Amino acid sequence: FNRRLTSCDDTRFTMASQTRVALVTGGGKRVGRAIVQTLADAGFDVLFTTRDQQVVDGPISRVGRITPITVDVSDLPQSVDALLETIQSSFGRLDVLVSNAGVDHLPGDGREEASRRREPTILHMQRGAFARMLEIHVEGAFQCAQEAAKLMFPRRAGSLIFMSSIAGLSGLGVLHYSAAKASLLGLSRALPQY
């Protein structure tokens, strides 16, 4: 969804002999792990966040260009501030942020009850579950992007990539997940304008 980045082989990433640095939130599993590996294969030093300590202690922590960090990006703003400060002090730069952290369901989202009763999810979703979904996807992505931009703007270079879903375009999926993914699309479209 980032109009400026179509692939990691894009010539716009060609820089002087400095190592390129990427941060992938939610990089420990499935899509996130594939993004981490693709960036590492393209020559990036990759840091990725995960809430799962087993991922940090597992085999991926032994790969040279890949560094896992246990952090919850929805723990705003302390964990995100500390994470980006670490990147600044360790690497002095950040070239790519891939905001991939997210979940598709939460306790209290009413999915099971709505399905069992064959009723709309909105009748059973707790407000806290809706707010938490937005906090994880949207506020977490915004906080990471804001801090990443502070590292990118002085060099006038960098890419902010937000992982959304067809649920954000079509409304297919659970109410809070679709709303969160649609918000990410709006965020990614608005950022280049200002």
Side-chain angles (χ1 to χ4, degrees):
F1 292 103
N2 181 325
R3 289 175 278 204
R4 295 187 184 127
L5 174 65
T6 55
S7 109
C8 291
D9 296 325
D10 194 316
T11 57
R12 289 173 285 214
F13 277 117
T14 303
M15 298 179 185
S17 61
Q18 291 185 314
T19 301
R20 300 165 296 172
V21 179
L23 170 62
V24 179
T25 66
K29 298 176 183 173
R30 299 180 296 272
V31 172
R33 183 171 268 192
I35 293 168
V36 167
Q37 191 60 58
T38 299
L39 287 165
D41 291 347
F44 284 82
D45 279 333
V46 184
L47 295 93
F48 75 89
T49 67
T50 180
R51 295 181 302 156
D52 186 351
Q53 185 63 40
Q54 290 178 340
V55 171
V56 172
D57 295 336
I60 198 163
S61 65
R62 292 186 265 293
V63 177
R65 300 185 71 97
I66 300 173
T67 306
I69 301 168
T70 304
V71 69
D72 183 346
V73 296
S74 70
D75 178 18
L76 305 170
Q78 297 80 12
S79 64
V80 173
D81 292 348
L83 175 61
L84 273 293
E85 286 173 16
T86 299
I87 292 171
Q88 174 65 32
S89 64
S90 298
F91 297 95
R93 66 185 294 139
L94 181 64
D95 300 289
V96 175
L97 166 69
V98 180
S99 189
N100 181 61
V103 297
D104 63 354
H105 61 88
L106 291 166
D109 66 13
R111 289 180 355 155
E112 292 82 14
E113 185 70 12
S115 178
R116 188 177 60 76
R117 293 184 178 203
R118 296 181 182 216
E119 295 176 343
T121 307
I122 195 167
L123 298 176
H124 302 282
M125 184 172 290
Q126 297 172 9
R127 289 182 182 173
F130 187 87
R132 180 72 177 142
M133 183 67 72
L134 293 177
E135 183 179 73
I136 292 168
H137 287 266
V138 184
E139 288 185 51
F142 171 78
Q143 180 74 23
C144 288
Q146 187 175 47
E147 294 303 312
K150 292 175 184 176
L151 295 179
M152 295 174 179
F153 186 74
R155 293 185 340 356
R156 304 293 196 267
S159 291
L160 303 172
I161 302 167
F162 301 93
M163 298 303 288
S164 188
S165 166
I166 193 68
L169 290 170
S170 67
L172 296 176
V174 180
L175 177 67
H176 58 349
Y177 181 78
S178 294
K181 291 303 189 176
S183 294
L184 288 175
L185 289 172
L187 182 62
S188 68
R189 289 180 179 132
L191 269 171
Q193 308 304 316
Y194 299 99

mmCIF file of all heavy atoms in Angstrom, residues 37-88:
data_model
loop_
_atom_site.group_PDB
_atom_site.id
_atom_site.type_symbol
_atom_site.label_atom_id
_atom_site.label_comp_id
_atom_site.label_asym_id
_atom_site.label_seq_id
_atom_site.Cartn_x
_atom_site.Cartn_y
_atom_site.Cartn_z
ATOM 1 N N GLN A 37 12.501 -11.790 6.284
ATOM 2 C CA GLN A 37 13.461 -12.561 5.495
ATOM 3 C C GLN A 37 13.719 -11.904 4.143
ATOM 4 O O GLN A 37 14.858 -11.854 3.677
ATOM 5 C CB GLN A 37 12.972 -13.995 5.302
ATOM 6 C CG GLN A 37 14.036 -14.912 4.738
ATOM 7 C CD GLN A 37 15.252 -15.005 5.644
ATOM 8 O OE1 GLN A 37 15.155 -15.381 6.805
ATOM 9 N NE2 GLN A 37 16.420 -14.648 5.123
ATOM 10 N N THR A 38 12.673 -11.390 3.509
ATOM 11 C CA THR A 38 12.839 -10.726 2.209
ATOM 12 C C THR A 38 13.739 -9.496 2.325
ATOM 13 O O THR A 38 14.620 -9.280 1.488
ATOM 14 C CB THR A 38 11.456 -10.334 1.639
ATOM 15 O OG1 THR A 38 10.689 -11.523 1.465
ATOM 16 C CG2 THR A 38 11.591 -9.605 0.322
ATOM 17 N N LEU A 39 13.533 -8.702 3.365
ATOM 18 C CA LEU A 39 14.378 -7.519 3.563
ATOM 19 C C LEU A 39 15.825 -7.907 3.868
ATOM 20 O O LEU A 39 16.757 -7.299 3.344
ATOM 21 C CB LEU A 39 13.808 -6.643 4.674
ATOM 22 C CG LEU A 39 12.539 -5.878 4.317
ATOM 23 C CD1 LEU A 39 11.859 -5.336 5.572
ATOM 24 C CD2 LEU A 39 12.835 -4.751 3.338
ATOM 25 N N ALA A 40 16.017 -8.932 4.692
ATOM 26 C CA ALA A 40 17.374 -9.399 4.991
ATOM 27 C C ALA A 40 18.052 -9.914 3.730
ATOM 28 O O ALA A 40 19.228 -9.625 3.479
ATOM 29 C CB ALA A 40 17.339 -10.473 6.074
ATOM 30 N N ASP A 41 17.317 -10.655 2.910
ATOM 31 C CA ASP A 41 17.865 -11.164 1.652
ATOM 32 C C ASP A 41 18.238 -10.033 0.701
ATOM 33 O O ASP A 41 19.130 -10.173 -0.131
ATOM 34 C CB ASP A 41 16.874 -12.105 0.962
ATOM 35 C CG ASP A 41 16.685 -13.422 1.701
ATOM 36 O OD1 ASP A 41 17.491 -13.739 2.613
ATOM 37 O OD2 ASP A 41 15.701 -14.133 1.382
ATOM 38 N N ALA A 42 17.542 -8.903 0.836
ATOM 39 C CA ALA A 42 17.830 -7.742 -0.016
ATOM 40 C C ALA A 42 18.970 -6.891 0.540
ATOM 41 O O ALA A 42 19.300 -5.851 -0.035
ATOM 42 C CB ALA A 42 16.573 -6.885 -0.173
ATOM 43 N N GLY A 43 19.569 -7.318 1.651
ATOM 44 C CA GLY A 43 20.734 -6.626 2.176
ATOM 45 C C GLY A 43 20.480 -5.693 3.343
ATOM 46 O O GLY A 43 21.394 -4.990 3.783
ATOM 47 N N PHE A 44 19.281 -5.662 3.853
ATOM 48 C CA PHE A 44 18.971 -4.808 4.995
ATOM 49 C C PHE A 44 19.417 -5.458 6.303
ATOM 50 O O PHE A 44 19.384 -6.683 6.433
ATOM 51 C CB PHE A 44 17.456 -4.579 5.108
ATOM 52 C CG PHE A 44 16.904 -3.606 4.116
ATOM 53 C CD1 PHE A 44 16.606 -3.998 2.826
ATOM 54 C CD2 PHE A 44 16.660 -2.288 4.487
ATOM 55 C CE1 PHE A 44 16.083 -3.110 1.909
ATOM 56 C CE2 PHE A 44 16.132 -1.389 3.574
ATOM 57 C CZ PHE A 44 15.840 -1.795 2.288
ATOM 58 N N ASP A 45 19.811 -4.636 7.268
ATOM 59 C CA ASP A 45 19.840 -5.064 8.654
ATOM 60 C C ASP A 45 18.409 -4.900 9.123
ATOM 61 O O ASP A 45 17.841 -3.812 9.002
ATOM 62 C CB ASP A 45 20.765 -4.184 9.498
ATOM 63 C CG ASP A 45 22.222 -4.573 9.353
ATOM 64 O OD1 ASP A 45 22.494 -5.749 9.055
ATOM 65 O OD2 ASP A 45 23.077 -3.704 9.536
ATOM 66 N N VAL A 46 17.807 -5.969 9.627
ATOM 67 C CA VAL A 46 16.385 -5.951 9.967
ATOM 68 C C VAL A 46 16.205 -6.169 11.459
ATOM 69 O O VAL A 46 16.712 -7.137 12.020
ATOM 70 C CB VAL A 46 15.606 -7.041 9.200
ATOM 71 C CG1 VAL A 46 14.122 -6.942 9.501
ATOM 72 C CG2 VAL A 46 15.856 -6.939 7.705
ATOM 73 N N LEU A 47 15.472 -5.265 12.062
ATOM 74 C CA LEU A 47 15.006 -5.451 13.425
ATOM 75 C C LEU A 47 13.527 -5.737 13.319
ATOM 76 O O LEU A 47 12.837 -5.121 12.501
ATOM 77 C CB LEU A 47 15.224 -4.194 14.255
ATOM 78 C CG LEU A 47 16.681 -3.797 14.471
ATOM 79 C CD1 LEU A 47 17.096 -2.819 13.396
ATOM 80 C CD2 LEU A 47 16.848 -3.207 15.835
ATOM 81 N N PHE A 48 13.044 -6.676 14.118
ATOM 82 C CA PHE A 48 11.610 -6.916 14.101
ATOM 83 C C PHE A 48 11.096 -7.068 15.512
ATOM 84 O O PHE A 48 11.798 -7.521 16.408
ATOM 85 C CB PHE A 48 11.230 -8.110 13.230
ATOM 86 C CG PHE A 48 11.538 -9.455 13.822
ATOM 87 C CD1 PHE A 48 10.610 -10.112 14.624
ATOM 88 C CD2 PHE A 48 12.742 -10.077 13.555
ATOM 89 C CE1 PHE A 48 10.889 -11.358 15.162
ATOM 90 C CE2 PHE A 48 13.029 -11.329 14.080
ATOM 91 C CZ PHE A 48 12.100 -11.969 14.892
ATOM 92 N N THR A 49 9.849 -6.641 15.692
ATOM 93 C CA THR A 49 9.225 -6.753 17.002
ATOM 94 C C THR A 49 8.323 -7.975 17.043
ATOM 95 O O THR A 49 7.761 -8.392 16.035
ATOM 96 C CB THR A 49 8.381 -5.512 17.348
ATOM 97 O OG1 THR A 49 7.250 -5.440 16.477
ATOM 98 C CG2 THR A 49 9.207 -4.244 17.249
ATOM 99 N N THR A 50 8.218 -8.515 18.229
ATOM 100 C CA THR A 50 7.303 -9.611 18.512
ATOM 101 C C THR A 50 6.952 -9.542 19.988
ATOM 102 O O THR A 50 7.745 -9.046 20.790
ATOM 103 C CB THR A 50 7.916 -10.978 18.157
ATOM 104 O OG1 THR A 50 6.973 -12.008 18.455
ATOM 105 C CG2 THR A 50 9.202 -11.236 18.899
ATOM 106 N N ARG A 51 5.776 -10.009 20.328
ATOM 107 C CA ARG A 51 5.408 -10.112 21.741
ATOM 108 C C ARG A 51 5.766 -11.477 22.291
ATOM 109 O O ARG A 51 5.643 -11.722 23.477
ATOM 110 C CB ARG A 51 3.909 -9.857 21.922
ATOM 111 C CG ARG A 51 3.506 -8.448 21.570
ATOM 112 C CD ARG A 51 2.029 -8.223 21.780
ATOM 113 N NE ARG A 51 1.258 -9.167 20.981
ATOM 114 C CZ ARG A 51 0.013 -9.547 21.247
ATOM 115 N NH1 ARG A 51 -0.608 -9.065 22.294
ATOM 116 N NH2 ARG A 51 -0.616 -10.392 20.468
ATOM 117 N N ASP A 52 6.225 -12.371 21.449
ATOM 118 C CA ASP A 52 6.476 -13.762 21.807
ATOM 119 C C ASP A 52 7.953 -13.989 22.111
ATOM 120 O O ASP A 52 8.791 -14.024 21.201
ATOM 121 C CB ASP A 52 6.025 -14.655 20.648
ATOM 122 C CG ASP A 52 6.098 -16.129 20.958
ATOM 123 O OD1 ASP A 52 6.650 -16.507 22.012
ATOM 124 O OD2 ASP A 52 5.603 -16.918 20.127
ATOM 125 N N GLN A 53 8.280 -14.151 23.377
ATOM 126 C CA GLN A 53 9.666 -14.357 23.786
ATOM 127 C C GLN A 53 10.255 -15.618 23.159
ATOM 128 O O GLN A 53 11.447 -15.678 22.896
ATOM 129 C CB GLN A 53 9.770 -14.435 25.312
ATOM 130 C CG GLN A 53 11.191 -14.529 25.830
ATOM 131 C CD GLN A 53 12.035 -13.309 25.510
ATOM 132 O OE1 GLN A 53 11.566 -12.180 25.575
ATOM 133 N NE2 GLN A 53 13.294 -13.528 25.144
ATOM 134 N N GLN A 54 9.436 -16.634 22.876
ATOM 135 C CA GLN A 54 9.940 -17.863 22.259
ATOM 136 C C GLN A 54 10.500 -17.592 20.866
ATOM 137 O O GLN A 54 11.452 -18.235 20.443
ATOM 138 C CB GLN A 54 8.845 -18.915 22.195
ATOM 139 C CG GLN A 54 8.471 -19.460 23.548
ATOM 140 C CD GLN A 54 7.350 -20.480 23.453
ATOM 141 O OE1 GLN A 54 6.606 -20.528 22.480
ATOM 142 N NE2 GLN A 54 7.233 -21.299 24.485
ATOM 143 N N VAL A 55 9.923 -16.632 20.156
ATOM 144 C CA VAL A 55 10.453 -16.266 18.837
ATOM 145 C C VAL A 55 11.830 -15.639 18.997
ATOM 146 O O VAL A 55 12.755 -15.933 18.250
ATOM 147 C CB VAL A 55 9.489 -15.302 18.099
ATOM 148 C CG1 VAL A 55 10.127 -14.759 16.834
ATOM 149 C CG2 VAL A 55 8.181 -16.005 17.775
ATOM 150 N N VAL A 56 11.965 -14.785 20.002
ATOM 151 C CA VAL A 56 13.247 -14.123 20.251
ATOM 152 C C VAL A 56 14.311 -15.139 20.637
ATOM 153 O O VAL A 56 15.456 -15.045 20.210
ATOM 154 C CB VAL A 56 13.098 -13.041 21.346
ATOM 155 C CG1 VAL A 56 14.441 -12.475 21.748
ATOM 156 C CG2 VAL A 56 12.173 -11.932 20.848
ATOM 157 N N ASP A 57 13.942 -16.130 21.427
ATOM 158 C CA ASP A 57 14.891 -17.142 21.878
ATOM 159 C C ASP A 57 15.107 -18.255 20.855
ATOM 160 O O ASP A 57 15.996 -19.069 21.020
ATOM 161 C CB ASP A 57 14.409 -17.777 23.188
ATOM 162 C CG ASP A 57 14.393 -16.775 24.328
ATOM 163 O OD1 ASP A 57 15.141 -15.779 24.254
ATOM 164 O OD2 ASP A 57 13.616 -16.983 25.280
ATOM 165 N N GLY A 58 14.307 -18.291 19.792
ATOM 166 C CA GLY A 58 14.354 -19.373 18.812
ATOM 167 C C GLY A 58 15.421 -19.190 17.758
ATOM 168 O O GLY A 58 16.280 -18.317 17.846
ATOM 169 N N PRO A 59 15.368 -20.019 16.701
ATOM 170 C CA PRO A 59 16.410 -20.053 15.672
ATOM 171 C C PRO A 59 16.605 -18.731 14.930
ATOM 172 O O PRO A 59 17.701 -18.419 14.506
ATOM 173 C CB PRO A 59 15.926 -21.131 14.697
ATOM 174 C CG PRO A 59 14.817 -21.833 15.359
ATOM 175 C CD PRO A 59 14.336 -20.999 16.491
ATOM 176 N N ILE A 60 15.555 -17.940 14.781
ATOM 177 C CA ILE A 60 15.709 -16.704 14.005
ATOM 178 C C ILE A 60 16.642 -15.723 14.696
ATOM 179 O O ILE A 60 17.266 -14.887 14.058
ATOM 180 C CB ILE A 60 14.333 -16.060 13.711
ATOM 181 C CG1 ILE A 60 14.464 -15.067 12.563
ATOM 182 C CG2 ILE A 60 13.750 -15.393 14.935
ATOM 183 C CD1 ILE A 60 13.159 -14.682 11.930
ATOM 184 N N SER A 61 16.797 -15.829 16.019
ATOM 185 C CA SER A 61 17.669 -14.902 16.737
ATOM 186 C C SER A 61 19.142 -15.142 16.432
ATOM 187 O O SER A 61 19.983 -14.325 16.761
ATOM 188 C CB SER A 61 17.425 -14.994 18.244
ATOM 189 O OG SER A 61 17.803 -16.259 18.726
ATOM 190 N N ARG A 62 19.446 -16.241 15.755
ATOM 191 C CA ARG A 62 20.834 -16.550 15.434
ATOM 192 C C ARG A 62 21.223 -16.155 14.005
ATOM 193 O O ARG A 62 22.319 -16.438 13.576
ATOM 194 C CB ARG A 62 21.072 -18.040 15.659
ATOM 195 C CG ARG A 62 20.993 -18.423 17.125
ATOM 196 C CD ARG A 62 21.368 -19.856 17.367
ATOM 197 N NE ARG A 62 20.272 -20.798 17.420
ATOM 198 C CZ ARG A 62 19.343 -20.847 18.350
ATOM 199 N NH1 ARG A 62 19.332 -19.970 19.310
ATOM 200 N NH2 ARG A 62 18.410 -21.760 18.338
ATOM 201 N N VAL A 63 20.331 -15.472 13.307
ATOM 202 C CA VAL A 63 20.637 -15.037 11.946
ATOM 203 C C VAL A 63 21.311 -13.676 12.027
ATOM 204 O O VAL A 63 20.816 -12.772 12.693
ATOM 205 C CB VAL A 63 19.341 -14.963 11.096
ATOM 206 C CG1 VAL A 63 19.639 -14.441 9.708
ATOM 207 C CG2 VAL A 63 18.692 -16.333 11.027
ATOM 208 N N GLY A 64 22.432 -13.510 11.326
ATOM 209 C CA GLY A 64 23.264 -12.327 11.454
ATOM 210 C C GLY A 64 22.600 -10.986 11.209
ATOM 211 O O GLY A 64 22.757 -10.055 11.976
ATOM 212 N N ARG A 65 21.852 -10.841 10.142
ATOM 213 C CA ARG A 65 21.296 -9.540 9.779
ATOM 214 C C ARG A 65 19.919 -9.290 10.379
ATOM 215 O O ARG A 65 19.314 -8.276 10.113
ATOM 216 C CB ARG A 65 21.202 -9.443 8.261
ATOM 217 C CG ARG A 65 22.551 -9.580 7.560
ATOM 218 C CD ARG A 65 22.388 -9.360 6.084
ATOM 219 N NE ARG A 65 22.118 -7.975 5.811
ATOM 220 C CZ ARG A 65 23.015 -7.073 5.458
ATOM 221 N NH1 ARG A 65 24.273 -7.427 5.338
ATOM 222 N NH2 ARG A 65 22.676 -5.830 5.218
ATOM 223 N N ILE A 66 19.429 -10.225 11.153
ATOM 224 C CA ILE A 66 18.073 -10.126 11.695
ATOM 225 C C ILE A 66 18.142 -10.093 13.215
ATOM 226 O O ILE A 66 18.750 -10.960 13.828
ATOM 227 C CB ILE A 66 17.205 -11.313 11.230
ATOM 228 C CG1 ILE A 66 17.110 -11.318 9.696
ATOM 229 C CG2 ILE A 66 15.830 -11.262 11.861
ATOM 230 C CD1 ILE A 66 16.413 -12.536 9.122
ATOM 231 N N THR A 67 17.491 -9.087 13.800
ATOM 232 C CA THR A 67 17.493 -8.931 15.250
ATOM 233 C C THR A 67 16.063 -8.859 15.771
ATOM 234 O O THR A 67 15.351 -7.895 15.475
ATOM 235 C CB THR A 67 18.242 -7.637 15.660
ATOM 236 O OG1 THR A 67 19.547 -7.648 15.091
ATOM 237 C CG2 THR A 67 18.327 -7.523 17.175
ATOM 238 N N PRO A 68 15.629 -9.859 16.537
ATOM 239 C CA PRO A 68 14.292 -9.805 17.131
ATOM 240 C C PRO A 68 14.309 -9.006 18.430
ATOM 241 O O PRO A 68 15.286 -9.013 19.171
ATOM 242 C CB PRO A 68 13.980 -11.274 17.403
ATOM 243 C CG PRO A 68 15.319 -11.897 17.621
ATOM 244 C CD PRO A 68 16.299 -11.137 16.764
ATOM 245 N N ILE A 69 13.216 -8.312 18.687
ATOM 246 C CA ILE A 69 13.078 -7.514 19.900
ATOM 247 C C ILE A 69 11.698 -7.787 20.480
ATOM 248 O O ILE A 69 10.694 -7.651 19.782
ATOM 249 C CB ILE A 69 13.228 -6.006 19.597
ATOM 250 C CG1 ILE A 69 14.590 -5.725 18.960
ATOM 251 C CG2 ILE A 69 13.029 -5.176 20.852
ATOM 252 C CD1 ILE A 69 14.720 -4.354 18.376
ATOM 253 N N THR A 70 11.657 -8.154 21.752
ATOM 254 C CA THR A 70 10.374 -8.387 22.408
ATOM 255 C C THR A 70 9.809 -7.037 22.829
ATOM 256 O O THR A 70 10.365 -6.366 23.697
ATOM 257 C CB THR A 70 10.524 -9.289 23.642
ATOM 258 O OG1 THR A 70 11.139 -10.504 23.259
ATOM 259 C CG2 THR A 70 9.171 -9.591 24.258
ATOM 260 N N VAL A 71 8.734 -6.639 22.177
ATOM 261 C CA VAL A 71 8.074 -5.377 22.523
ATOM 262 C C VAL A 71 6.646 -5.434 22.000
ATOM 263 O O VAL A 71 6.365 -6.094 21.003
ATOM 264 C CB VAL A 71 8.837 -4.166 21.936
ATOM 265 C CG1 VAL A 71 8.739 -4.111 20.434
ATOM 266 C CG2 VAL A 71 8.361 -2.858 22.539
ATOM 267 N N ASP A 72 5.750 -4.766 22.688
ATOM 268 C CA ASP A 72 4.359 -4.652 22.259
ATOM 269 C C ASP A 72 4.175 -3.232 21.747
ATOM 270 O O ASP A 72 4.188 -2.283 22.526
ATOM 271 C CB ASP A 72 3.425 -4.934 23.431
ATOM 272 C CG ASP A 72 1.955 -4.909 23.052
ATOM 273 O OD1 ASP A 72 1.623 -4.425 21.951
ATOM 274 O OD2 ASP A 72 1.131 -5.357 23.866
ATOM 275 N N VAL A 73 4.052 -3.071 20.432
ATOM 276 C CA VAL A 73 3.964 -1.723 19.856
ATOM 277 C C VAL A 73 2.678 -1.003 20.231
ATOM 278 O O VAL A 73 2.560 0.194 20.012
ATOM 279 C CB VAL A 73 4.137 -1.718 18.319
ATOM 280 C CG1 VAL A 73 5.528 -2.180 17.931
ATOM 281 C CG2 VAL A 73 3.064 -2.529 17.639
ATOM 282 N N SER A 74 1.722 -1.713 20.813
ATOM 283 C CA SER A 74 0.522 -1.016 21.263
ATOM 284 C C SER A 74 0.688 -0.481 22.683
ATOM 285 O O SER A 74 -0.197 0.181 23.206
ATOM 286 C CB SER A 74 -0.696 -1.936 21.178
ATOM 287 O OG SER A 74 -0.616 -2.961 22.153
ATOM 288 N N ASP A 75 1.841 -0.746 23.304
ATOM 289 C CA ASP A 75 2.159 -0.191 24.614
ATOM 290 C C ASP A 75 2.712 1.211 24.383
ATOM 291 O O ASP A 75 3.907 1.419 24.276
ATOM 292 C CB ASP A 75 3.182 -1.075 25.329
ATOM 293 C CG ASP A 75 3.589 -0.530 26.683
ATOM 294 O OD1 ASP A 75 2.870 0.322 27.234
ATOM 295 O OD2 ASP A 75 4.638 -0.948 27.187
ATOM 296 N N LEU A 76 1.792 2.135 24.249
ATOM 297 C CA LEU A 76 2.155 3.486 23.822
ATOM 298 C C LEU A 76 2.387 4.403 25.007
ATOM 299 O O LEU A 76 1.686 4.322 25.983
ATOM 300 C CB LEU A 76 1.023 4.066 22.959
ATOM 301 C CG LEU A 76 0.635 3.211 21.763
ATOM 302 C CD1 LEU A 76 -0.639 3.748 21.149
ATOM 303 C CD2 LEU A 76 1.734 3.180 20.756
ATOM 304 N N PRO A 77 3.269 5.347 24.855
ATOM 305 C CA PRO A 77 4.302 5.472 23.828
ATOM 306 C C PRO A 77 5.647 4.898 24.257
ATOM 307 O O PRO A 77 6.589 4.891 23.472
ATOM 308 C CB PRO A 77 4.405 6.980 23.637
ATOM 309 C CG PRO A 77 4.139 7.544 24.991
ATOM 310 C CD PRO A 77 3.126 6.583 25.628
ATOM 311 N N GLN A 78 5.748 4.440 25.502
ATOM 312 C CA GLN A 78 7.049 4.092 26.065
ATOM 313 C C GLN A 78 7.831 3.080 25.243
ATOM 314 O O GLN A 78 9.006 3.291 24.944
ATOM 315 C CB GLN A 78 6.889 3.568 27.507
ATOM 316 C CG GLN A 78 6.327 4.562 28.474
ATOM 317 C CD GLN A 78 4.815 4.705 28.395
ATOM 318 O OE1 GLN A 78 4.122 3.921 27.765
ATOM 319 N NE2 GLN A 78 4.293 5.735 29.040
ATOM 320 N N SER A 79 7.230 1.960 24.888
ATOM 321 C CA SER A 79 7.985 0.913 24.204
ATOM 322 C C SER A 79 8.431 1.353 22.819
ATOM 323 O O SER A 79 9.535 1.032 22.381
ATOM 324 C CB SER A 79 7.162 -0.371 24.114
ATOM 325 O OG SER A 79 6.014 -0.169 23.325
ATOM 326 N N VAL A 80 7.603 2.111 22.127
ATOM 327 C CA VAL A 80 7.948 2.562 20.776
ATOM 328 C C VAL A 80 9.071 3.601 20.836
ATOM 329 O O VAL A 80 10.027 3.548 20.064
ATOM 330 C CB VAL A 80 6.714 3.113 20.043
ATOM 331 C CG1 VAL A 80 7.099 3.736 18.716
ATOM 332 C CG2 VAL A 80 5.702 1.995 19.848
ATOM 333 N N ASP A 81 8.985 4.537 21.768
ATOM 334 C CA ASP A 81 10.046 5.539 21.927
ATOM 335 C C ASP A 81 11.385 4.866 22.206
ATOM 336 O O ASP A 81 12.397 5.198 21.586
ATOM 337 C CB ASP A 81 9.712 6.506 23.069
ATOM 338 C CG ASP A 81 8.533 7.408 22.760
ATOM 339 O OD1 ASP A 81 8.102 7.465 21.587
ATOM 340 O OD2 ASP A 81 8.037 8.062 23.701
ATOM 341 N N ALA A 82 11.387 3.907 23.130
ATOM 342 C CA ALA A 82 12.620 3.207 23.481
ATOM 343 C C ALA A 82 13.164 2.419 22.294
ATOM 344 O O ALA A 82 14.375 2.391 22.061
ATOM 345 C CB ALA A 82 12.377 2.280 24.672
ATOM 346 N N LEU A 83 12.277 1.799 21.532
ATOM 347 C CA LEU A 83 12.690 1.019 20.365
ATOM 348 C C LEU A 83 13.391 1.900 19.331
ATOM 349 O O LEU A 83 14.469 1.578 18.841
ATOM 350 C CB LEU A 83 11.472 0.339 19.736
ATOM 351 C CG LEU A 83 11.690 -0.423 18.445
ATOM 352 C CD1 LEU A 83 12.671 -1.568 18.635
ATOM 353 C CD2 LEU A 83 10.357 -0.940 17.919
ATOM 354 N N LEU A 84 12.794 3.031 19.011
ATOM 355 C CA LEU A 84 13.389 3.905 18.000
ATOM 356 C C LEU A 84 14.658 4.588 18.511
ATOM 357 O O LEU A 84 15.588 4.829 17.736
ATOM 358 C CB LEU A 84 12.364 4.937 17.514
ATOM 359 C CG LEU A 84 11.462 4.478 16.359
ATOM 360 C CD1 LEU A 84 12.234 4.265 15.079
ATOM 361 C CD2 LEU A 84 10.614 3.285 16.656
ATOM 362 N N GLU A 85 14.733 4.851 19.809
ATOM 363 C CA GLU A 85 15.978 5.377 20.380
ATOM 364 C C GLU A 85 17.099 4.358 20.241
ATOM 365 O O GLU A 85 18.245 4.717 19.950
ATOM 366 C CB GLU A 85 15.775 5.754 21.851
ATOM 367 C CG GLU A 85 14.982 7.028 22.047
ATOM 368 C CD GLU A 85 14.635 7.297 23.508
ATOM 369 O OE1 GLU A 85 15.256 6.676 24.412
ATOM 370 O OE2 GLU A 85 13.747 8.136 23.739
ATOM 371 N N THR A 86 16.779 3.080 20.437
ATOM 372 C CA THR A 86 17.767 2.016 20.268
ATOM 373 C C THR A 86 18.254 1.956 18.826
ATOM 374 O O THR A 86 19.454 1.810 18.572
ATOM 375 C CB THR A 86 17.166 0.652 20.686
ATOM 376 O OG1 THR A 86 16.804 0.719 22.058
ATOM 377 C CG2 THR A 86 18.140 -0.481 20.450
ATOM 378 N N ILE A 87 17.337 2.069 17.878
ATOM 379 C CA ILE A 87 17.730 2.058 16.466
ATOM 380 C C ILE A 87 18.632 3.252 16.156
ATOM 381 O O ILE A 87 19.661 3.109 15.500
ATOM 382 C CB ILE A 87 16.484 2.050 15.556
ATOM 383 C CG1 ILE A 87 15.754 0.713 15.695
ATOM 384 C CG2 ILE A 87 16.865 2.324 14.100
ATOM 385 C CD1 ILE A 87 14.403 0.665 15.025
ATOM 386 N N GLN A 88 18.278 4.424 16.666
ATOM 387 C CA GLN A 88 19.092 5.620 16.434
ATOM 388 C C GLN A 88 20.495 5.446 17.012
ATOM 389 O O GLN A 88 21.483 5.735 16.338
ATOM 390 C CB GLN A 88 18.417 6.855 17.053
ATOM 391 C CG GLN A 88 19.247 8.123 16.994
ATOM 392 C CD GLN A 88 19.508 8.608 15.585
ATOM 393 O OE1 GLN A 88 18.699 8.429 14.690
ATOM 394 N NE2 GLN A 88 20.652 9.219 15.374
#
